[in-house]
Amino acid sequence: MPEFYTELHTLIFDPDRIPIAVAAIFLSMIVGMVTGPLFGNANPLIWGMIDGVFGRLGDKMDRLHRSKPDLMFRGFLLSAFALVFCLFIAKICENLVLNYNYRGFTEVFLLSGAITSGSVWYAILKLYFALEKKEMGKGAYYAISRSTRVNLNSVDDFGITRVGMGYLARSFDKGLVAPVFWYLIGGLELAFAYACIAALSWRFGKDGFTKGFGEISLVLERLMGIVPALLSGFMLSVVGYDAVLKRAVELFKATKNKDRAAPYAQGGFALSALAWHLGVTLGGPVKDLGGSALKNLWVGPEKASAKVDHKKLRLAIFTHFGAHILFLAILFATFLLGNNPLI
């Protein structure tokens, strides 16, 4: 039986990649908390690179007067070019790892560019202190707006708090669990490929309200992200305090019945899990940085309030941090299971 588990792990992913992934997560935590979001963007470095290289081009191609099939074809072309670009970068990175390994640090450093954690905490903590003191701290709102692509002028303080809490759930899912998941399966190439698709979905998907240009990236991201999303939602559900099982059952019922549960493009299982875990209502209509109205659903228990203040944001930060610890524990246990024949 132990040999069966070891062989099964080897077929699904390489357990020897787990220490690299863990080290990359710690590096992202430490560096992100020290430096903060790069250019106000707390998302993975690759997302910022995709935005810088393809963002303006995509905006010029995404013309609303065009038909949906035309916009979808344009989105397909941009997605294909961006994916080829990222795979080319990944191949260069793999050559760097082979020739300049430095005891694994090179791969750790490169993988950290596809994930995010510490910079998210930095941005959210600045937002928390600004809301607590009821004053606009320098860059406190900018980093959240830039990272979520939401125009925070379109919502009140409760709405800003909901956006921040939603970003914690989404960044944990798309910016940490999913790229690490694909790295364990296929190395840097698959990690970079997922990060590229997730970046395009973030930049042009408009939470599922795209007129066609972001459809391809949304579909591709869902295909690659559905399993990690379930894992992320599970971890956000079980971290914390009382009534965990009850909240998990309520979340399952809501997701099954599509009742006040977030559609995948609007945060999916991770956002729903956080809302049920904290007993609040998240989501709600917003405007993106391009001026588009995103009529996002209200997510959470039926009678939960949408008037969430900075105290709920603090609980969300603790939950987010706890989910990180749980994820690291799962990786550590999986490493032991995959390499120790006695287990």
PDB file of all heavy atoms in Angstrom, residues 198-224:
ATOM      1  N   ALA A 198      -4.357  33.325 -16.161  1.00  0.00           N
ATOM      2  CA  ALA A 198      -5.032  34.005 -15.056  1.00  0.00           C
ATOM      3  C   ALA A 198      -4.883  35.521 -15.180  1.00  0.00           C
ATOM      4  O   ALA A 198      -5.815  36.277 -14.872  1.00  0.00           O
ATOM      5  CB  ALA A 198      -4.464  33.527 -13.721  1.00  0.00           C
ATOM      6  N   ALA A 199      -3.712  35.974 -15.631  1.00  0.00           N
ATOM      7  CA  ALA A 199      -3.492  37.410 -15.823  1.00  0.00           C
ATOM      8  C   ALA A 199      -4.402  37.971 -16.913  1.00  0.00           C
ATOM      9  O   ALA A 199      -4.968  39.058 -16.769  1.00  0.00           O
ATOM     10  CB  ALA A 199      -2.028  37.665 -16.172  1.00  0.00           C
ATOM     11  N   LEU A 200      -4.553  37.251 -18.011  1.00  0.00           N
ATOM     12  CA  LEU A 200      -5.436  37.692 -19.086  1.00  0.00           C
ATOM     13  C   LEU A 200      -6.888  37.722 -18.611  1.00  0.00           C
ATOM     14  O   LEU A 200      -7.641  38.645 -18.956  1.00  0.00           O
ATOM     15  CB  LEU A 200      -5.303  36.764 -20.290  1.00  0.00           C
ATOM     16  CG  LEU A 200      -3.960  36.807 -21.035  1.00  0.00           C
ATOM     17  CD1 LEU A 200      -3.900  35.691 -22.073  1.00  0.00           C
ATOM     18  CD2 LEU A 200      -3.748  38.165 -21.700  1.00  0.00           C
ATOM     19  N   SER A 201      -7.272  36.731 -17.821  1.00  0.00           N
ATOM     20  CA  SER A 201      -8.624  36.691 -17.279  1.00  0.00           C
ATOM     21  C   SER A 201      -8.863  37.874 -16.345  1.00  0.00           C
ATOM     22  O   SER A 201      -9.934  38.492 -16.365  1.00  0.00           O
ATOM     23  CB  SER A 201      -8.845  35.367 -16.540  1.00  0.00           C
ATOM     24  OG  SER A 201     -10.131  35.313 -15.982  1.00  0.00           O
ATOM     25  N   TRP A 202      -7.873  38.181 -15.513  1.00  0.00           N
ATOM     26  CA  TRP A 202      -7.956  39.330 -14.606  1.00  0.00           C
ATOM     27  C   TRP A 202      -8.019  40.643 -15.377  1.00  0.00           C
ATOM     28  O   TRP A 202      -8.800  41.537 -15.032  1.00  0.00           O
ATOM     29  CB  TRP A 202      -6.743  39.307 -13.675  1.00  0.00           C
ATOM     30  CG  TRP A 202      -6.408  40.605 -13.010  1.00  0.00           C
ATOM     31  CD1 TRP A 202      -7.059  41.177 -11.944  1.00  0.00           C
ATOM     32  CD2 TRP A 202      -5.332  41.504 -13.338  1.00  0.00           C
ATOM     33  NE1 TRP A 202      -6.451  42.368 -11.605  1.00  0.00           N
ATOM     34  CE2 TRP A 202      -5.403  42.586 -12.441  1.00  0.00           C
ATOM     35  CE3 TRP A 202      -4.326  41.479 -14.305  1.00  0.00           C
ATOM     36  CZ2 TRP A 202      -4.488  43.641 -12.478  1.00  0.00           C
ATOM     37  CZ3 TRP A 202      -3.422  42.524 -14.354  1.00  0.00           C
ATOM     38  CH2 TRP A 202      -3.499  43.593 -13.454  1.00  0.00           C
ATOM     39  N   ARG A 203      -7.233  40.742 -16.445  1.00  0.00           N
ATOM     40  CA  ARG A 203      -7.108  42.010 -17.174  1.00  0.00           C
ATOM     41  C   ARG A 203      -8.290  42.264 -18.104  1.00  0.00           C
ATOM     42  O   ARG A 203      -8.750  43.414 -18.225  1.00  0.00           O
ATOM     43  CB  ARG A 203      -5.809  41.987 -17.987  1.00  0.00           C
ATOM     44  CG  ARG A 203      -5.509  43.281 -18.735  1.00  0.00           C
ATOM     45  CD  ARG A 203      -5.330  44.440 -17.787  1.00  0.00           C
ATOM     46  NE  ARG A 203      -4.886  45.633 -18.486  1.00  0.00           N
ATOM     47  CZ  ARG A 203      -5.687  46.453 -19.186  1.00  0.00           C
ATOM     48  NH1 ARG A 203      -6.988  46.186 -19.265  1.00  0.00           N
ATOM     49  NH2 ARG A 203      -5.204  47.521 -19.782  1.00  0.00           N
ATOM     50  N   PHE A 204      -8.822  41.212 -18.740  1.00  0.00           N
ATOM     51  CA  PHE A 204      -9.853  41.408 -19.763  1.00  0.00           C
ATOM     52  C   PHE A 204     -11.157  40.659 -19.490  1.00  0.00           C
ATOM     53  O   PHE A 204     -12.124  40.844 -20.230  1.00  0.00           O
ATOM     54  CB  PHE A 204      -9.314  40.975 -21.133  1.00  0.00           C
ATOM     55  CG  PHE A 204      -8.062  41.681 -21.552  1.00  0.00           C
ATOM     56  CD1 PHE A 204      -6.852  41.002 -21.619  1.00  0.00           C
ATOM     57  CD2 PHE A 204      -8.073  43.027 -21.868  1.00  0.00           C
ATOM     58  CE1 PHE A 204      -5.684  41.649 -22.002  1.00  0.00           C
ATOM     59  CE2 PHE A 204      -6.915  43.693 -22.248  1.00  0.00           C
ATOM     60  CZ  PHE A 204      -5.712  42.998 -22.323  1.00  0.00           C
ATOM     61  N   GLY A 205     -11.190  39.831 -18.453  1.00  0.00           N
ATOM     62  CA  GLY A 205     -12.375  39.012 -18.213  1.00  0.00           C
ATOM     63  C   GLY A 205     -13.556  39.753 -17.641  1.00  0.00           C
ATOM     64  O   GLY A 205     -14.701  39.324 -17.773  1.00  0.00           O
ATOM     65  N   LYS A 206     -13.315  40.871 -16.927  1.00  0.00           N
ATOM     66  CA  LYS A 206     -14.383  41.710 -16.353  1.00  0.00           C
ATOM     67  C   LYS A 206     -15.369  40.891 -15.511  1.00  0.00           C
ATOM     68  O   LYS A 206     -16.592  41.088 -15.576  1.00  0.00           O
ATOM     69  CB  LYS A 206     -15.137  42.451 -17.462  1.00  0.00           C
ATOM     70  CG  LYS A 206     -14.278  43.451 -18.231  1.00  0.00           C
ATOM     71  CD  LYS A 206     -15.094  44.170 -19.296  1.00  0.00           C
ATOM     72  CE  LYS A 206     -14.239  45.153 -20.089  1.00  0.00           C
ATOM     73  NZ  LYS A 206     -13.772  46.287 -19.265  1.00  0.00           N
ATOM     74  N   ASP A 207     -14.830  39.957 -14.735  1.00  0.00           N
ATOM     75  CA  ASP A 207     -15.656  39.139 -13.846  1.00  0.00           C
ATOM     76  C   ASP A 207     -16.762  38.394 -14.593  1.00  0.00           C
ATOM     77  O   ASP A 207     -17.833  38.110 -14.043  1.00  0.00           O
ATOM     78  CB  ASP A 207     -16.282  39.988 -12.739  1.00  0.00           C
ATOM     79  CG  ASP A 207     -15.267  40.465 -11.711  1.00  0.00           C
ATOM     80  OD1 ASP A 207     -14.107  40.015 -11.791  1.00  0.00           O
ATOM     81  OD2 ASP A 207     -15.617  41.267 -10.843  1.00  0.00           O
ATOM     82  N   GLY A 208     -16.514  38.083 -15.857  1.00  0.00           N
ATOM     83  CA  GLY A 208     -17.502  37.356 -16.645  1.00  0.00           C
ATOM     84  C   GLY A 208     -18.430  38.245 -17.450  1.00  0.00           C
ATOM     85  O   GLY A 208     -19.254  37.741 -18.223  1.00  0.00           O
ATOM     86  N   PHE A 209     -18.310  39.569 -17.325  1.00  0.00           N
ATOM     87  CA  PHE A 209     -19.182  40.502 -18.041  1.00  0.00           C
ATOM     88  C   PHE A 209     -18.527  41.043 -19.309  1.00  0.00           C
ATOM     89  O   PHE A 209     -18.929  42.080 -19.827  1.00  0.00           O
ATOM     90  CB  PHE A 209     -19.579  41.663 -17.122  1.00  0.00           C
ATOM     91  CG  PHE A 209     -20.443  41.241 -15.967  1.00  0.00           C
ATOM     92  CD1 PHE A 209     -19.890  41.060 -14.704  1.00  0.00           C
ATOM     93  CD2 PHE A 209     -21.789  40.980 -16.141  1.00  0.00           C
ATOM     94  CE1 PHE A 209     -20.671  40.655 -13.634  1.00  0.00           C
ATOM     95  CE2 PHE A 209     -22.580  40.568 -15.080  1.00  0.00           C
ATOM     96  CZ  PHE A 209     -22.021  40.407 -13.818  1.00  0.00           C
ATOM     97  N   THR A 210     -17.518  40.364 -19.798  1.00  0.00           N
ATOM     98  CA  THR A 210     -16.893  40.758 -21.044  1.00  0.00           C
ATOM     99  C   THR A 210     -17.877  40.601 -22.207  1.00  0.00           C
ATOM    100  O   THR A 210     -18.751  39.728 -22.184  1.00  0.00           O
ATOM    101  CB  THR A 210     -15.635  39.898 -21.317  1.00  0.00           C
ATOM    102  OG1 THR A 210     -15.128  40.192 -22.608  1.00  0.00           O
ATOM    103  CG2 THR A 210     -15.960  38.423 -21.246  1.00  0.00           C
ATOM    104  N   LYS A 211     -17.724  41.437 -23.208  1.00  0.00           N
ATOM    105  CA  LYS A 211     -18.591  41.375 -24.387  1.00  0.00           C
ATOM    106  C   LYS A 211     -18.116  40.325 -25.393  1.00  0.00           C
ATOM    107  O   LYS A 211     -18.732  40.150 -26.435  1.00  0.00           O
ATOM    108  CB  LYS A 211     -18.634  42.743 -25.072  1.00  0.00           C
ATOM    109  CG  LYS A 211     -19.164  43.863 -24.185  1.00  0.00           C
ATOM    110  CD  LYS A 211     -20.594  43.609 -23.725  1.00  0.00           C
ATOM    111  CE  LYS A 211     -21.116  44.764 -22.888  1.00  0.00           C
ATOM    112  NZ  LYS A 211     -22.503  44.538 -22.414  1.00  0.00           N
ATOM    113  N   GLY A 212     -17.037  39.641 -25.064  1.00  0.00           N
ATOM    114  CA  GLY A 212     -16.535  38.591 -25.946  1.00  0.00           C
ATOM    115  C   GLY A 212     -15.024  38.503 -25.979  1.00  0.00           C
ATOM    116  O   GLY A 212     -14.463  37.420 -26.153  1.00  0.00           O
ATOM    117  N   PHE A 213     -14.343  39.630 -25.791  1.00  0.00           N
ATOM    118  CA  PHE A 213     -12.890  39.658 -25.923  1.00  0.00           C
ATOM    119  C   PHE A 213     -12.202  38.790 -24.863  1.00  0.00           C
ATOM    120  O   PHE A 213     -11.205  38.130 -25.142  1.00  0.00           O
ATOM    121  CB  PHE A 213     -12.372  41.089 -25.834  1.00  0.00           C
ATOM    122  CG  PHE A 213     -10.909  41.233 -26.100  1.00  0.00           C
ATOM    123  CD1 PHE A 213     -10.412  41.168 -27.392  1.00  0.00           C
ATOM    124  CD2 PHE A 213     -10.007  41.412 -25.057  1.00  0.00           C
ATOM    125  CE1 PHE A 213      -9.057  41.290 -27.648  1.00  0.00           C
ATOM    126  CE2 PHE A 213      -8.643  41.535 -25.303  1.00  0.00           C
ATOM    127  CZ  PHE A 213      -8.173  41.473 -26.606  1.00  0.00           C
ATOM    128  N   GLY A 214     -12.748  38.773 -23.664  1.00  0.00           N
ATOM    129  CA  GLY A 214     -12.119  38.002 -22.593  1.00  0.00           C
ATOM    130  C   GLY A 214     -12.663  36.599 -22.410  1.00  0.00           C
ATOM    131  O   GLY A 214     -12.255  35.889 -21.482  1.00  0.00           O
ATOM    132  N   GLU A 215     -13.555  36.170 -23.307  1.00  0.00           N
ATOM    133  CA  GLU A 215     -14.197  34.864 -23.152  1.00  0.00           C
ATOM    134  C   GLU A 215     -13.195  33.712 -23.187  1.00  0.00           C
ATOM    135  O   GLU A 215     -13.263  32.774 -22.389  1.00  0.00           O
ATOM    136  CB  GLU A 215     -15.244  34.656 -24.255  1.00  0.00           C
ATOM    137  CG  GLU A 215     -16.489  35.492 -24.093  1.00  0.00           C
ATOM    138  CD  GLU A 215     -17.440  34.938 -23.051  1.00  0.00           C
ATOM    139  OE1 GLU A 215     -17.166  33.838 -22.531  1.00  0.00           O
ATOM    140  OE2 GLU A 215     -18.440  35.609 -22.746  1.00  0.00           O
ATOM    141  N   ILE A 216     -12.259  33.761 -24.126  1.00  0.00           N
ATOM    142  CA  ILE A 216     -11.311  32.653 -24.291  1.00  0.00           C
ATOM    143  C   ILE A 216     -10.447  32.488 -23.044  1.00  0.00           C
ATOM    144  O   ILE A 216     -10.260  31.369 -22.536  1.00  0.00           O
ATOM    145  CB  ILE A 216     -10.429  32.876 -25.538  1.00  0.00           C
ATOM    146  CG1 ILE A 216     -11.291  32.965 -26.799  1.00  0.00           C
ATOM    147  CG2 ILE A 216      -9.407  31.752 -25.664  1.00  0.00           C
ATOM    148  CD1 ILE A 216     -12.134  31.735 -27.067  1.00  0.00           C
ATOM    149  N   SER A 217      -9.923  33.604 -22.540  1.00  0.00           N
ATOM    150  CA  SER A 217      -9.078  33.516 -21.347  1.00  0.00           C
ATOM    151  C   SER A 217      -9.880  33.042 -20.141  1.00  0.00           C
ATOM    152  O   SER A 217      -9.365  32.287 -19.299  1.00  0.00           O
ATOM    153  CB  SER A 217      -8.422  34.872 -21.061  1.00  0.00           C
ATOM    154  OG  SER A 217      -9.392  35.886 -20.890  1.00  0.00           O
ATOM    155  N   LEU A 218     -11.155  33.441 -20.046  1.00  0.00           N
ATOM    156  CA  LEU A 218     -11.997  32.987 -18.942  1.00  0.00           C
ATOM    157  C   LEU A 218     -12.218  31.477 -19.003  1.00  0.00           C
ATOM    158  O   LEU A 218     -12.152  30.781 -17.985  1.00  0.00           O
ATOM    159  CB  LEU A 218     -13.344  33.705 -18.975  1.00  0.00           C
ATOM    160  CG  LEU A 218     -13.358  35.165 -18.498  1.00  0.00           C
ATOM    161  CD1 LEU A 218     -14.717  35.798 -18.779  1.00  0.00           C
ATOM    162  CD2 LEU A 218     -13.036  35.269 -17.015  1.00  0.00           C
ATOM    163  N   VAL A 219     -12.475  30.970 -20.201  1.00  0.00           N
ATOM    164  CA  VAL A 219     -12.705  29.533 -20.363  1.00  0.00           C
ATOM    165  C   VAL A 219     -11.441  28.748 -20.043  1.00  0.00           C
ATOM    166  O   VAL A 219     -11.479  27.734 -19.322  1.00  0.00           O
ATOM    167  CB  VAL A 219     -13.187  29.222 -21.794  1.00  0.00           C
ATOM    168  CG1 VAL A 219     -13.199  27.718 -22.048  1.00  0.00           C
ATOM    169  CG2 VAL A 219     -14.579  29.797 -22.024  1.00  0.00           C
ATOM    170  N   LEU A 220     -10.303  29.212 -20.566  1.00  0.00           N
ATOM    171  CA  LEU A 220      -9.051  28.511 -20.311  1.00  0.00           C
ATOM    172  C   LEU A 220      -8.695  28.528 -18.827  1.00  0.00           C
ATOM    173  O   LEU A 220      -8.241  27.519 -18.269  1.00  0.00           O
ATOM    174  CB  LEU A 220      -7.923  29.151 -21.129  1.00  0.00           C
ATOM    175  CG  LEU A 220      -7.997  28.969 -22.651  1.00  0.00           C
ATOM    176  CD1 LEU A 220      -6.890  29.763 -23.325  1.00  0.00           C
ATOM    177  CD2 LEU A 220      -7.897  27.494 -23.025  1.00  0.00           C
ATOM    178  N   GLU A 221      -8.906  29.683 -18.196  1.00  0.00           N
ATOM    179  CA  GLU A 221      -8.587  29.780 -16.771  1.00  0.00           C
ATOM    180  C   GLU A 221      -9.473  28.868 -15.948  1.00  0.00           C
ATOM    181  O   GLU A 221      -9.027  28.247 -14.977  1.00  0.00           O
ATOM    182  CB  GLU A 221      -8.736  31.229 -16.313  1.00  0.00           C
ATOM    183  CG  GLU A 221      -8.068  31.537 -14.974  1.00  0.00           C
ATOM    184  CD  GLU A 221      -8.861  31.024 -13.788  1.00  0.00           C
ATOM    185  OE1 GLU A 221     -10.113  31.118 -13.830  1.00  0.00           O
ATOM    186  OE2 GLU A 221      -8.259  30.524 -12.814  1.00  0.00           O
ATOM    187  N   ARG A 222     -10.730  28.767 -16.346  1.00  0.00           N
ATOM    188  CA  ARG A 222     -11.634  27.877 -15.601  1.00  0.00           C
ATOM    189  C   ARG A 222     -11.219  26.422 -15.761  1.00  0.00           C
ATOM    190  O   ARG A 222     -11.280  25.643 -14.803  1.00  0.00           O
ATOM    191  CB  ARG A 222     -13.071  28.081 -16.066  1.00  0.00           C
ATOM    192  CG  ARG A 222     -14.064  27.230 -15.289  1.00  0.00           C
ATOM    193  CD  ARG A 222     -15.485  27.673 -15.479  1.00  0.00           C
ATOM    194  NE  ARG A 222     -16.397  26.956 -14.607  1.00  0.00           N
ATOM    195  CZ  ARG A 222     -17.650  27.300 -14.387  1.00  0.00           C
ATOM    196  NH1 ARG A 222     -18.146  28.376 -14.990  1.00  0.00           N
ATOM    197  NH2 ARG A 222     -18.416  26.590 -13.585  1.00  0.00           N
ATOM    198  N   LEU A 223     -10.804  26.033 -16.950  1.00  0.00           N
ATOM    199  CA  LEU A 223     -10.363  24.658 -17.169  1.00  0.00           C
ATOM    200  C   LEU A 223      -9.161  24.308 -16.287  1.00  0.00           C
ATOM    201  O   LEU A 223      -9.086  23.213 -15.724  1.00  0.00           O
ATOM    202  CB  LEU A 223     -10.001  24.450 -18.643  1.00  0.00           C
ATOM    203  CG  LEU A 223     -11.173  24.396 -19.631  1.00  0.00           C
ATOM    204  CD1 LEU A 223     -10.657  24.361 -21.064  1.00  0.00           C
ATOM    205  CD2 LEU A 223     -12.050  23.175 -19.359  1.00  0.00           C
ATOM    206  N   MET A 224      -8.226  25.250 -16.173  1.00  0.00           N
ATOM    207  CA  MET A 224      -7.034  24.989 -15.370  1.00  0.00           C
ATOM    208  C   MET A 224      -7.251  25.282 -13.888  1.00  0.00           C
ATOM    209  O   MET A 224      -6.542  24.737 -13.037  1.00  0.00           O
ATOM    210  CB  MET A 224      -5.858  25.835 -15.888  1.00  0.00           C
ATOM    211  CG  MET A 224      -5.384  25.490 -17.279  1.00  0.00           C
ATOM    212  SD  MET A 224      -3.842  26.342 -17.727  1.00  0.00           S
ATOM    213  CE  MET A 224      -2.653  25.466 -16.707  1.00  0.00           C
TER     214      MET A 224
END
